[in-house]
Amino acid sequence: MQLAKRLDKLPPYLFVDINQKIAELRAKGEDIVSFALGDPDLPTPSNIIECICQAAHDPANHRYPETAGLWELRQAIAEWYEKRFGVILNPDKEVLPLIGSKEGIGHIAQCFIEPGDMALVPDPGYPPFSMGTILAGGEPYFMPLKEENDFLPDFEAIPEEIANKAKLMWLNYPNNPTGAVAELDFFERAAHFAWQHNLAICHDAAYTEVAFEDYCPPSFMQVAQAKEIGVEFHSLSKTYHMTGWRIGMAVGNAEMIDALFRVKSNLDSGIPQAIQRAAIEALRGSQNCIAEHNAIFQQRRDKLMKVLAEIGLKARVPKAAFYIWAEVPQGYSSVNFTQKLLDEAGIAVTPGLGYGREGEGYIRFSLTVPDDRLELGINRLSNWHRRDK
Ligand SMILES: Cc1ncc(COP(=O)(O)O)c(C=O)c1O
């Protein structure tokens, strides 16, 4: 047996490694409080679950789905975009349901990247942006997201020959892992830069609905020319706590949507229809769950920010996304500080280095931890700090 060489370029997926470590410790009887994964702990709202149960009994949903998804789902996605962002989408040409947005994010590189091509990728960033590029035979060019630039890429700093050579640019706001946000003027600058260099933009908007106080994150699709140069990936995972059901969407430029459809229709057979029916209910039904979830995440954010300040870990208060991106104390790397928290406090976090070289010096806390576990985690952090002094 001989495995393809491209696999040599793929590191193990960040969370496979972290989950394994936590599982090993738990198997030894250790009680680990995990702030590592961005997977909402609160259940999927009951109207959505009921819809899945009903749809599961309907024989029409027992057969192969179409890659393009149900027309009614594409229509519901278009309606949601109009209601939420004021963006008009053609459900036949500008909307494609996905088996979770990660699937589409990985596959779209196949539409643009030839061996040796480049994609501009944020660093730190959600790993599938660069891994999709590498699997397509391309090379990521990492755009540093620096704290002094509010974790936005500096387009001016990208060398001209790289910008001209690149085919795609990835953006993601509200951002994982930094919790940073971008405003419409940033997206306008990104679109202008993409025009100048004949780049396609892929914006990952998975976290636009996870926001605090009265902050309301924009969509890249609100930029006047967005549909001419880009697509946006969105997800029901974080908005409706549907990570287990696997459903998301790509919207925007019709040619890009068609290219992604062509790749996908040759590789997958769509999203189970009962889940598509549930997604229609999620998008068209009551949206109250979003504010309810956000109020809970906001309380958790404030509690965790308080203890981080007490124990001397610096972090910005995130306006959106359920992550806190904290600086590790001087003298530690992100990996050895993560290990220290695990060994000495029984707390799991994600080391910043896992998101790219620029993530060094940071750790990520996710707020998707049940309240009682969060309290336990906070107490452990305080006690550990007292002992460690
Ligand atoms: C930035 C970002 N994009 C996309 C996803 C994937 O979401 P989905 O569940 O839709 O595949 C995640 C999941 O953590 C994410 O953090």
Side-chain angles (χ1 to χ4, degrees):
M1 191 198 312
Q2 199 172 357
L3 296 175
K5 291 227 178 332
R6 72 176 70 86
L7 288 186
D8 298 341
K9 294 188 183 165
L10 290 183
Y13 191 60
L14 177 60
F15 292 108
V16 173
D17 225 30
I18 292 170
N19 281 341
Q20 208 169 317
K21 276 200 183 121
I22 297 173
E24 280 165 17
L25 287 168
R26 283 183 177 152
K28 284 193 217 151
E30 301 211 20
D31 175 31
I32 304 300
V33 177
S34 177
F35 291 91
L37 301 190
D39 188 357
D41 56 299
L42 301 161
T44 309
S46 58
N47 62 315
I48 301 173
I49 300 289
E50 273 156 30
C51 187
I52 296 173
C53 294
Q54 269 181 22
H57 286 291
D58 181 352
N61 297 328
H62 297 174
R63 312 190 67 187
Y64 281 126
E66 299 279 352
T67 304
L70 294 167
W71 187 85
E72 224 179 319
L73 173 60
R74 298 201 306 276
Q75 177 69 26
I77 292 169
E79 281 166 18
W80 186 85
Y81 252 83
E82 184 175 0
K83 231 192 277 170
R84 169 64 176 88
F85 298 116
V87 170
I88 308 286
L89 297 166
N90 177 334
D92 293 322
K93 297 196 157 87
E94 295 172 342
V95 175
L96 181 62
L98 301 170
I99 314 168
S101 63
K102 183 179 182 184
E103 173 264 299
I105 288 168
H107 278 138
I108 200 160
Q110 299 295 330
C111 307
F112 284 91
I113 304 294
E114 309 265 12
D117 279 349
M118 283 191 141
L120 308 181
V121 172
D123 176 4
Y126 180 53
F129 304 151
S130 50
M131 295 310 153
T133 307
I134 291 169
L135 278 173
E139 201 189 322
Y141 174 85
F142 291 106
M143 302 183 288
L145 305 186
K146 303 242 182 227
E147 188 154 4
E148 62 263 31
N149 297 330
D150 297 324
F151 299 111
L152 298 172
D154 176 2
F155 300 128
E156 310 274 290
I158 300 170
E160 187 79 7
E161 68 277 12
I162 301 281
N164 290 335
K165 192 175 169 205
K167 299 283 161 57
L168 268 186
M169 175 161 70
W170 280 101
L171 297 171
N172 163 223
Y173 292 97
N175 183 259
N176 177 13
T178 65
V181 296
E183 303 308 331
L184 215 47
D185 68 318
F186 167 78
F187 289 139
E188 276 158 5
R189 280 192 288 120
H192 181 70
F193 178 77
W195 265 122
Q196 283 177 319
H197 298 286
N198 196 22
L199 284 165
I201 290 188
C202 289
H203 179 238
D204 177 351
Y207 294 94
T208 62
E209 305 318 295
V210 184
F212 309 123
E213 279 98 32
D214 52 1
Y215 181 64
C216 189
S219 156
F220 170 67
M221 284 296 127
Q222 289 170 298
V223 170
Q225 284 88 26
K227 275 205 242 169
E228 287 164 49
I229 50 163
V231 290
E232 182 158 274
F233 290 88
H234 220 304
S235 172
L236 278 76
S237 289
K238 322 286 173 167
T239 307
Y240 303 106
H241 295 193
M242 290 179 71
T243 47
W245 303 104
R246 313 308 306 133
I247 189 154
M249 62 269 205
V251 306
N253 180 271
E255 199 182 342
M256 291 173 76
I257 292 289
D258 180 58
L260 184 54
F261 169 77
R262 280 194 278 153
V263 168
K264 276 172 55 61
S265 56
N266 279 290
L267 294 176
D268 71 60
S269 299
I271 306 153
Q273 267 182 201
I275 294 170
Q276 296 190 51
R277 290 277 165 213
I280 296 168
E281 168 63 23
L283 294 163
R284 285 188 174 155
S286 163
Q287 302 294 298
N288 292 347
C289 61
I290 297 177
E292 288 161 16
H293 296 156
N294 287 347
I296 294 170
F297 288 133
Q298 189 177 317
Q299 271 188 0
R300 293 178 183 174
R301 175 198 71 174
D302 295 344
K303 284 183 182 170
L304 193 55
M305 284 301 303
K306 190 161 169 270
V307 75
L308 294 184
E310 281 164 18
I311 68 174
L313 293 188
K314 276 203 283 178
R316 291 188 178 194
V317 182
K319 283 162 90 177
F322 40 55
Y323 302 115
I324 293 176
W325 189 236
E327 284 179 46
V328 301
Q330 282 220 326
Y332 290 99
S333 71
S334 63
V335 171
N336 64 25
F337 192 64
T338 298
Q339 194 64 50
K340 186 175 169 71
L341 285 180
L342 197 57
D343 294 341
E344 297 175 11
I347 298 285
V349 297
T350 322
L353 187 62
Y355 297 94
R357 230 192 287 172
E358 294 289 331
E360 187 47 277
Y362 293 89
I363 48 175
R364 192 195 75 169
F365 287 83
S366 168
L367 300 171
T368 56
V369 182
D371 290 323
D372 55 335
R373 301 290 294 167
L374 184 100
E375 292 294 342
L376 178 63
I378 284 174
N379 287 338
R380 282 189 186 178
L381 284 169
S382 284
N383 294 338
W384 163 78
H385 181 63
R386 237 172 274 132
R387 285 195 309 271
D388 198 52
K389 268 203 287 197

